[in-house]
Amino acid sequence: MPASMALLDEDQRAVVSLAREFAAKEARAAAETYEARQEDPLPLYKQLAELGLCGLPFPEEHGGAGQSYVTYLLLVEELAHAYLALAVGLSVHTLCAFAIDAFGSAEQKREVLSRLTSGEWYGAYSLSEPASGSDAAALSTKAAPRNGAYELSGSKVFCTRGAEADVVLVMARSGGPGPKGVTAFLVEQGTEGFFGSKKEDKMGWRSSPTWQLVLDKAVVGEARRLGEEGGGFRIALAALDTGRLGMAACAVGLAQSAFDAALVFTKEREQFGRPVADNQGIRFMLADMVTGIEAGRALYRHAARLRDEGLDFSLQAAEAKLFCTDMAMRVTTDAVQLHGGYGYVTEYPVERFMRDAKGLQIVEGTNQIQRHIIGRKLVGPQA
Amino acid sequence: MNIAVCVKHVPDPNLPMEMDGTRLKRAGVQGVLDPGDEFGVEAALQIKEGHGADVTLVSMGPEASSEALRRGLSMGADRAILVSDGALEGADALATARVLQRAIERTKPDLVVAAVESTDGYTGTMPAALAQFMGWPQVTFATQVEIKDRTLRAHRQTTTGYHVVECELPVMITVTAGINEPRYASFKGIMAAKKKPLERLALADLGLSAVDVRPAQEIVELSKAEEHRSGQVIVDEGEAAGRVAAFLREAKVI
């Protein structure tokens, strides 16, 4: 049961149709193979580039398609419906491109953003460190000025496609403690002293590589500093506001996929001489699942519309990330339950969906941090 | 070089086919660019990329056919012509060929490409009739095409292998489903297609009238193919494997 195309404009229908065609012909089947192999689906990213889908929400002068954020998120949701790790990869890529579009110099837009929008390059985002996750402003990777450039030293963790991406947006400390000492850098793959030191073995998102990164006196030129010195934390947070919408759209696509599987299964599976979906208890579960999905979809699209109108959307982005990813955890868990024993075996995809949903509750600000953000906006900073 | 590609908007072959008397039900049914025609469009685009060419898509059908043309334009064709006319309802393959010939002539083509047959009508006679009206040679069942100077060289699929045929332009070719891997219409292609010319013509624009397109043949009756009989069910009571093996031996499968 694909999401309705009612209320979508012509361009949005074109994006959704294209994404569904790509999903049906390639992405859905490829997901199982790459997940089983724990391998990054690079050929699929290349295809996304060929389809012109790597830079939808960016200006045409920088190689983008000049589409709204709502339209871009429709793509993310459809991709997540077929293959979550691929949608996550595109969202992370967009996070990096967004930061350059919003804060980059003309030269950075020309040299880096245009390569990201065309899909010639892929981008990644690196904020977390071994000792600073939720407390991101405590990061300790150093950026020391050296002969008109910066020397970056430290370790980063949980960086999606950190070793596969061509350029990584890295936050490092160039000044004193706290958020005002952080600066953002665009570090290119192949920079001496910059490498992935460990690929994590994860519960879900198994074909989405998660890296520990090492910066060992990696030299980054001034031309690759994004924004002002000390302006990095603001960039990191703005990118996360936007990225949260991507995670919310991913969650809705994933939940829809789990629901679709559960609906088909419960209508076909017969026990006591009739389909299990004939039981009111089962129907009530299905009803709750689909209601959560529709509510989540409405919430993330509302937040994206605010963003498209240039209005403040960070509260709604936090709400959407929180609600949609918690909803996806619940829906995928119920989808496993509705499959009975078949839900617990890898022959059916719903156990993977459940493992994948957990990751969405943790990344780009845990859902506890989302509640913290929402609470702070409502009541003000805590004493 | 000018290439014309015949394309058709057909009911989505992935959906169950519905009949309306002796005619296929089209109204209110989700339509698509005939999947067979995607190979023809792709073949033309590959020639365009190799040699430079102007690719025109030509279709006859109701207004909904413009969707199929837009799809081909999104893949990369340059322009499209749609012939729509109330008098064409129920047109047979011969009438279709007559109409397409008049429309195609306007593009001054060097090469006309079509699928071997349409996914809905399946007569397979339209391309031959079109070649006849053009007064051109036709190369059928092409599984590979290349153009050198003004000569087309094609592999023609046969039951045992293939022929290599050479033919001077202008020529009409029909291509098989195996000839290439049709490309996706990229998002940029879809956006660009909106701005490409799609000319709409009626019969009168082609110097034809209802009399010229009166069907010469008519489907008078439809009957369903006999359904396959259900297979033999073997219930395993310890000797099923032996019985399956015996059955396969009898069928000379093993």
Side-chain angles (χ1 to χ4, degrees):
Chain A
M1 202 180 84
S4 164
M5 288 224 226
L7 307 181
L8 301 190
D9 68 27
E10 201 186 329
D11 289 4
Q12 292 171 337
R13 283 165 193 264
V15 167
V16 171
S17 301
L18 184 55
R20 285 185 186 166
E21 185 187 349
F22 175 62
K25 285 190 187 162
E26 329 259 350
R28 200 176 307 279
E32 291 188 19
T33 314
Y34 285 106
E35 281 288 304
R37 286 197 212 140
Q38 298 195 52
E39 186 183 318
D40 181 60
L42 184 63
L44 295 184
Y45 288 109
K46 293 287 172 209
Q47 276 186 297
L48 285 178
E50 281 167 26
L51 293 176
L53 297 176
C54 284
L56 278 190
F58 300 105
E60 291 178 70
E61 62 168 317
H62 300 303
Q67 292 292 317
S68 68
Y69 223 71
V70 171
T71 304
Y72 154 72
L73 292 170
L74 294 170
L75 168 68
V76 173
E77 183 189 326
E78 288 299 328
L79 290 180
H81 186 268
Y83 185 0
L84 182 77
L86 183 68
V88 167
L90 180 68
S91 182
V92 164
H93 168 77
T94 305
L95 199 66
C96 177
F98 156 77
I100 300 167
D101 184 38
F103 302 99
S105 64
E107 187 204 332
Q108 287 165 344
K109 290 183 192 182
R110 201 169 54 241
E111 291 189 3
V112 186
L113 179 59
S114 63
R115 286 191 165 115
L116 293 174
T117 54
S118 70
E120 179 191 342
W121 279 10
Y122 292 90
Y125 174 96
S126 185
L127 177 63
S128 295
E129 295 185 0
S132 71
S134 296
D135 186 9
L139 65 84
S140 67
T141 292
K142 276 251 161 295
R146 287 273 186 287
N147 315 321
Y150 295 87
E151 204 176 78
L152 271 57
S153 293
S155 350
K156 292 283 177 184
V157 292
F158 304 135
C159 182
T160 299
R161 300 193 82 230
E164 284 77 10
D166 301 276
V167 59
V168 184
L169 176 62
V170 173
M171 267 52 75
R173 187 165 303 284
S174 60
K180 293 203 166 69
V182 177
T183 302
F185 298 92
L186 297 166
V187 185
E188 284 178 40
Q189 212 62 251
T191 300
E192 203 175 326
F194 173 63
F195 56 93
S197 58
K198 187 192 170 199
K199 188 171 140 179
E200 303 293 353
D201 187 3
K202 304 190 300 299
M203 173 184 187
W205 303 23
R206 292 177 68 76
S207 64
S208 171
T210 304
W211 286 94
Q212 290 184 18
L213 299 174
V214 168
L215 294 138
D216 181 12
K217 294 182 184 163
V219 176
V220 179
E222 201 143 326
R224 288 292 181 266
R225 187 190 72 217
L226 187 66
E228 294 302 306
E229 256 189 46
F233 200 67
R234 194 167 71 91
I235 293 174
L237 291 191
L240 283 181
D241 272 347
T242 279
R244 276 167 194 147
L245 297 179
M247 291 303 103
C250 278
V252 170
L254 177 68
Q256 181 77 51
S257 207
F259 170 78
D260 291 350
L263 184 64
V264 168
F265 185 86
T266 53
K267 281 161 84 173
E268 283 177 359
R269 171 73 170 169
E270 293 198 0
Q271 290 292 282
F272 306 106
R274 58 182 183 157
V276 296
D278 266 3
N279 295 287
Q280 192 181 47
I282 302 292
R283 289 177 178 218
F284 278 18
M285 286 176 77
L286 290 169
D288 286 345
M289 289 160 83
V290 81
T291 304
I293 293 166
E294 292 274 27
R297 185 174 284 134
L299 183 52
Y300 92 68
R301 290 183 189 177
H302 169 64
R305 274 194 293 275
L306 291 173
R307 187 190 187 284
D308 284 331
E309 292 298 320
L311 301 168
D312 184 6
F313 68 101
S314 67
L315 172 64
Q316 288 77 12
E319 289 169 355
K321 197 274 177 180
L322 167 64
F323 181 84
C324 294
T325 62
D326 277 358
M327 176 277 293
M329 191 72 247
R330 205 166 54 241
V331 167
T332 54
T333 305
D334 283 350
V336 169
Q337 189 71 19
L338 287 172
H339 278 70
Y342 294 106
Y344 204 63
V345 296
T346 58
E347 194 183 334
Y348 285 80
V350 287
E351 60 82 29
R352 163 157 64 88
F353 298 158
M354 185 176 163
R355 289 185 284 106
D356 282 349
K358 195 70 219 172
L360 293 170
Q361 290 182 301
I362 296 170
V363 292
E364 298 193 14
T366 63
N367 284 3
Q368 287 63 41
I369 287 295
Q370 305 304 324
R371 289 179 173 94
H372 168 73
I373 292 167
I374 295 165
R376 192 176 52 199
K377 282 187 185 290
L378 297 176
V379 188
Q382 278 169 294
Chain B
M1 185 165 67
N2 292 327
I3 305 176
V5 186
C6 303
V7 299
K8 191 173 184 184
H9 186 245
V10 300
D12 188 340
N14 295 314
L15 302 174
M17 209 180 259
E18 284 179 63
M19 300 305 296
D20 186 3
T22 57
R23 305 246 301 270
L24 194 59
K25 189 176 169 197
R26 293 171 193 277
V29 176
Q30 173 66 41
V32 294
L33 169 63
D34 191 326
D37 290 339
E38 289 190 13
F39 299 98
V41 176
E42 179 64 35
L45 294 176
Q46 287 184 9
I47 293 169
K48 175 187 164 86
E49 284 159 1
H51 301 264
D54 195 85
V55 177
T56 304
L57 308 175
V58 185
S59 188
M60 186 189 101
E63 178 55 32
S65 300
S66 62
E67 286 173 33
L69 291 169
R70 286 281 173 220
R71 168 85 189 184
L73 292 172
S74 302
M75 288 171 74
D78 298 290
R79 63 196 76 251
I81 299 174
L82 172 61
V83 185
S84 274
D85 200 303
L88 289 168
E89 204 178 316
D92 63 5
L94 191 63
T96 306
R98 204 182 296 275
V99 170
L100 289 182
Q101 182 239 336
R102 291 288 175 98
I104 284 169
E105 263 183 354
R106 298 159 71 96
T107 71
K108 303 197 170 22
D110 302 284
L111 176 69
V112 175
V113 185
V116 169
E117 59 197 357
S118 61
T119 304
D120 57 352
Y122 272 120
T123 70
T125 56
M126 196 290 292
L130 178 56
Q132 172 76 19
F133 286 134
M134 302 287 289
W136 285 8
Q138 186 192 6
V139 175
T140 54
F141 298 104
T143 56
Q144 190 183 313
V145 288
E146 53 182 310
I147 299 219
K148 210 169 181 186
D149 301 322
R150 295 279 301 169
T151 303
L152 171 104
R153 188 181 161 93
H155 286 195
R156 264 194 87 242
Q157 188 182 311
T158 68
T159 48
T160 50
Y162 60 86
H163 299 155
V164 180
V165 182
E166 284 193 350
C167 185
E168 256 182 60
L169 298 179
V171 59
M172 157 109 218
I173 58 167
T174 55
V175 299
T176 67
I179 188 168
N180 51 40
E181 180 76 33
R183 68 195 64 190
Y184 283 93
S186 74
F187 187 66
K188 284 199 170 115
I190 293 167
M191 292 293 113
K194 289 183 188 178
K195 296 181 190 120
K196 290 179 178 174
L198 197 169
E199 193 181 5
R200 289 173 171 83
L201 299 174
L203 270 187
D205 300 316
L206 300 173
L208 293 170
S209 67
V211 183
D212 301 310
V213 295
R214 221 172 23 213
Q217 55 177 238
E218 189 189 350
I219 295 170
V220 293
E221 194 185 320
L222 285 179
S223 54
K224 279 198 170 170
E226 200 179 320
E227 287 190 17
H228 289 290
R229 285 179 299 143
S230 58
Q232 188 188 342
V233 177
I234 297 174
V235 179
D236 189 13
E237 284 163 358
E239 80 314 1
R243 285 171 64 192
V244 170
F247 175 81
L248 293 175
R249 254 195 303 279
E250 200 179 317
K252 297 200 187 326
V253 176
I254 55 173

